[in-house]
């Protein structure tokens, strides 16, 4: 009898360990516009989804100002549909809030919206913009997410939604801005194996990738091919072009992928750990990013 009990305890222990190892992670990335999260975190999101974890993208505005010919409710409807298509490609849920594009402010109302989204998703990891950026919507989205970083665990704040029992890890998605300090590449995620899926998701945002952004920023609207396959090749060259990594990037890649030379990684997404929220150890980061250490191929 004692032997049977011992065997049973061992089996239960193995089941418990296995259940813990297979914990489904809840990741939420919060951008200012439809397509922000796709550009900065689409590859990592696809990897999480491929591994069976849950990812939600949230756009805090409906994108109703981002076009040279269209605008208002019609554009917002179009961009919401594009986001849904992109989410389906990546394997993530996509929420687009009905706040006006180019008018986002870090108001109490917006803070409540963000707190609800994070709580409803029972988030383990939250990603957002940094607060230094060329676009006021990006800056204000970053402030609003930062403002929610502690309050998601406070019961008397936004009391219509149950508080989280544990503060998530808050991270910043990458940017190129240098002041007041440059983006810190704390975690590197190699996304080579899903880069084509990411490009397809970007292409789903047709109003942006093939119309608005080439018109307003790149000045290359006349270069866009007509055929869909050629458009994907063109888009990949623009948004996912292979490049050489600088010293900081190489160190980050080889830190999290010790069996991979940084020069062998062609496409990488970097994130910075926010000072707010829970501060993870390296071991916790490996649990929260279970793809780390894989070849990435």
């Amino acid at each position: 009898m004692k032997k049977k009990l011992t065997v049973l305890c061992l089996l239960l222990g193995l089941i418990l360990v296995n259940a813990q190892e297979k914990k489904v992670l809840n990741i939420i990335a919060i951008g200012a516009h439809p397509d922000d999260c796709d550009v900065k975190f689409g590859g990592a999101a696809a990897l999480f989804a491929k591994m069976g974890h849950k990812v939600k993208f949230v756009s805090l505005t409906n994108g109703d100002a981002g076009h040279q010919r269209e605008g208002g409710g019609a554009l917002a409807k179009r961009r919401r549909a594009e986001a849904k298509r992109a989410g389906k490609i990546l394997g993530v849920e996509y929420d687009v809030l009905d706040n006006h594009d180019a008018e986002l402010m870090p108001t109490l109302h917006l803070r409540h919206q963000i707190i609800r989204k994070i709580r409803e998703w029972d988030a383990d990891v939250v990603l957002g913009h940094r607060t230094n950026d060329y676009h006021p919507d990006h800056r204000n989205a970053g402030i609003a997410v930062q403002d929610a970083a502690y309050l998601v665990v406070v019961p008397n704040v936004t009391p219509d939604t149950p508080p989280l029992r544990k503060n998530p890890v808050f991270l910043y998605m990458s940017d190129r801005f240098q002041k007041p300090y440059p983006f810190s590449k704390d975690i590197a995620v190699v996304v080579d194996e899903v880069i084509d899926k990411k490009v397809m998701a970007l292409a789903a945002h047709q109003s942006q990738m093939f119309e608005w952004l080439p018109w307003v920023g790149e000045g290359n609207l006349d270069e866009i091919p007509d055929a869909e396959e050629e458009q994907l090749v063109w888009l990949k060259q623009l948004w996912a072009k292979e490049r050489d990594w600088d010293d900081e990037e190489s160190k980050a890649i080889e830190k999290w992928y010790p069996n991979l030379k940084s020069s062998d990684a062609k496409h990488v997404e970097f994130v910075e750990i926010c000072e707010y929220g829970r501060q993870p150890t390296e071991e916790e980061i490996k649990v929260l990013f279970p793809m780390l250490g894989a070849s990435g191929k």
Side-chain angles (χ1 to χ4, degrees):
M1 184 68 178
K2 194 179 272 189
K3 187 175 180 180
K4 287 183 179 179
L5 283 172
T6 302
V7 171
L8 182 61
C9 288
L10 285 171
L11 285 172
L12 287 171
L14 287 171
I15 291 169
L16 181 61
V17 168
N18 195 44
Q20 289 174 337
E21 288 177 350
K22 292 186 176 180
K23 178 186 183 302
V24 174
L25 296 166
N26 298 327
I27 315 297
I28 187 168
I30 302 172
H33 310 104
D35 78 355
D36 283 344
C37 297
D38 313 54
V39 169
K40 297 173 180 293
F41 197 68
L47 287 176
F48 275 115
K50 186 177 180 181
M51 298 176 77
H53 302 292
K54 293 171 59 182
V55 184
K56 180 187 282 288
F57 283 178
V58 177
S59 173
L60 297 181
T61 75
N62 59 21
D64 59 358
H67 205 274
Q68 68 273 33
R69 296 185 308 272
E70 304 172 21
L75 179 59
K77 183 178 179 180
R78 182 183 179 191
R79 296 198 66 183
R80 184 173 281 107
E82 290 173 342
K84 294 296 182 184
R85 286 196 295 273
K88 188 172 289 188
I89 291 167
L90 295 172
V92 312
E93 289 192 26
Y94 217 127
D95 291 353
V96 178
L97 304 188
D98 203 22
N99 300 309
H100 288 302
D101 186 1
E103 297 182 7
L104 196 69
M105 296 294 290
T107 61
L108 189 57
H109 172 69
L110 183 65
R111 186 192 304 170
H112 288 319
Q113 287 183 311
I114 292 169
I115 289 171
R116 289 188 189 100
K117 288 294 181 184
I118 294 171
R119 287 175 174 176
E120 288 166 359
W121 199 243
D122 192 19
D124 298 295
V125 176
V126 180
L127 296 106
H129 294 287
R130 291 202 305 159
T131 57
N132 44 314
D133 194 287
Y134 80 102
H135 200 304
D137 284 353
H138 294 177
R139 294 197 299 271
N140 290 327
I143 292 170
V145 173
Q146 286 182 351
D147 288 348
Y150 168 65
L151 299 178
V152 292
V153 300
V154 180
N156 285 324
V157 174
T158 324
D160 57 358
T161 313
L164 298 182
R165 297 302 301 274
K166 184 171 70 173
N167 209 350
V169 171
F170 281 74
L171 305 171
Y172 296 123
M173 297 181 286
S174 64
D175 62 65
R176 65 183 184 277
F177 300 102
Q178 301 297 304
K179 297 178 180 179
Y181 70 91
F183 176 81
S184 177
K185 300 171 179 71
D186 294 330
I187 304 171
V189 182
V190 177
V191 298
D192 289 348
E193 67 180 89
V194 292
I195 192 60
D196 289 332
K197 184 177 287 190
K198 175 177 178 175
V199 172
M200 288 175 63
L202 293 178
H205 296 276
Q206 185 177 20
S207 68
Q208 304 302 292
M209 298 298 155
F210 303 120
E211 298 171 23
W212 170 238
L213 294 176
W215 184 86
V216 74
E218 303 296 336
N220 55 358
L221 193 58
D222 58 343
E223 298 175 5
I224 300 171
D226 294 326
E228 185 176 336
E229 287 186 10
E230 293 175 359
Q231 285 181 351
L232 290 174
V233 173
W234 177 87
L235 192 64
K236 187 173 182 178
Q237 280 295 308
L238 189 65
W239 288 93
K241 188 176 182 178
E242 295 180 14
R243 62 181 182 83
D244 296 328
W245 308 112
D246 64 27
D247 288 344
E248 183 189 9
E249 291 166 336
S250 294
K251 286 177 183 177
I253 294 166
E254 292 178 2
K255 173 182 179 178
W256 297 109
Y257 295 83
N259 299 319
L260 182 69
K261 290 183 179 178
S262 61
S263 57
D264 290 334
K266 305 305 180 186
H267 304 94
V268 182
E269 292 175 348
F270 298 94
V271 294
E272 177 181 332
I273 299 170
C274 176
E275 290 180 296
Y276 313 138
R278 188 158 54 86
Q279 298 301 291
T281 63
E282 286 192 15
E283 289 307 309
E284 286 176 308
I285 291 170
K286 291 175 184 177
V287 171
L288 293 171
F289 285 80
M291 70 287 288
L292 297 179
S295 67
K297 301 295 181 185

